[in-house]
Amino acid sequence: MKKLMSCALALVLSCAMMLTGCSQQNPPASNGSGTGGNSGSGSSTTTDWPTGTVNVTLPYSAGGDTDTYCRALFQRVGEKLGQTFVVTNLTGGSGVVAAMDVMAKPNDGYTILFNHTGASLVQEATGTVDFSYTEDFENCCTVAIDQTYALVAVSKTGQYSQYSRGWENLEDMLADAKANSGVVRYSTVFGSTTEYVGLMLERDAGVKFDNIDVGSDSASRMAALLGGQVDMVAINYMNIKDYIESGDLICMGIMSAERVEGIDFPTFVEQGYPSVVTAKKYEVKFPKGTDQAIVDKLSAVCKEVVEDPEFAEVLSGYFAQPLYRDAATMDTEDPAEVEALKAGLAG
């Protein structure tokens, strides 16, 4: 699989470089001395960046959690900096296509990657990709955290009941999975947090699922669940709240260390599966070598947004919380999380 991924990544990188060469270049970033910066070392502490449109690439489709948080953030960032931040959804490879595209762009400050650790750090821990999210980008900041991953299935009494296996709770599902090894179909995105928590549950509960990749975005996975292609999905609560309230889906547990405010369902920790825990941290990154003055300026503005009660209110509507981490903190904590994921998978 890794060889296939390597070939795919090479093709994406090649195409991205050709597109970059043909596209119109953004205005060069100034570091206060009249020259565009392309290195974190020796850069000035002031910059007139941005002087033109900034492109923000995110790896998932419109309407999901990553898209929602990204647009809420950069609308406010654009207002504060007086420039337009254009958000582009570039899907594929569970975030790999977008990451490779950003890596191939000039490090002039006019290209940004907005992604989350739920995919990137798992990919790094499993060696799915031939690059490093923690080393091959210029970290800027973290702006939010979502700890609402839920394991859901079709209800036996809702409008999609023809696809139900008759479960009412986690205990029912695990009993089915034990009695029918490899039969219960779990929607996994290989190289992402869904794969990781699925593996943890299989290991801790002593079961084996039929792991099926039906797409990396929330919409595709929900369509697969409601259409009977899979039996259960691990997904952010914001995507299934209405289905839960209507009785069309059941929630078998939340994958957070503690109860999430506003979500009245038990965690997997409470139900005896302490390894089935995950949190997605939403991060802002530049291509490697971007002027440190640009990185610092955007980080400071993002911090202002994260501390704004209006931004917190947007996130709370989706049961997420503001979380600001600067680049130095990310440089320390993200590699440590990669090692923890490796240890979990090895355990």
Side-chain angles (χ1 to χ4, degrees), residues 103-157:
M103 288 175 67
K105 295 294 173 62
N107 54 3
D108 57 6
Y110 289 89
T111 301
I112 292 170
L113 176 67
F114 185 88
N115 67 347
H116 64 70
T117 59
S120 62
L121 300 189
V122 173
Q123 289 170 359
E124 188 153 342
T126 57
T128 306
V129 293
D130 290 338
F131 63 89
S132 170
Y133 284 96
T134 59
E135 296 179 4
D136 294 335
F137 290 89
E138 207 68 60
N139 281 331
C140 179
C141 60
T142 303
V143 298
I145 183 171
D146 192 314
Q147 303 175 86
T148 69
Y149 247 53
L151 185 65
V152 298
V154 172
S155 167
K156 65 180 183 180
T157 58

Side-chain angles (χ1 to χ4, degrees), residues 19-31:
L19 290 171
T20 300
C22 296
S23 64
Q24 182 178 358
Q25 297 297 313
N26 284 298
S30 169
N31 64 4

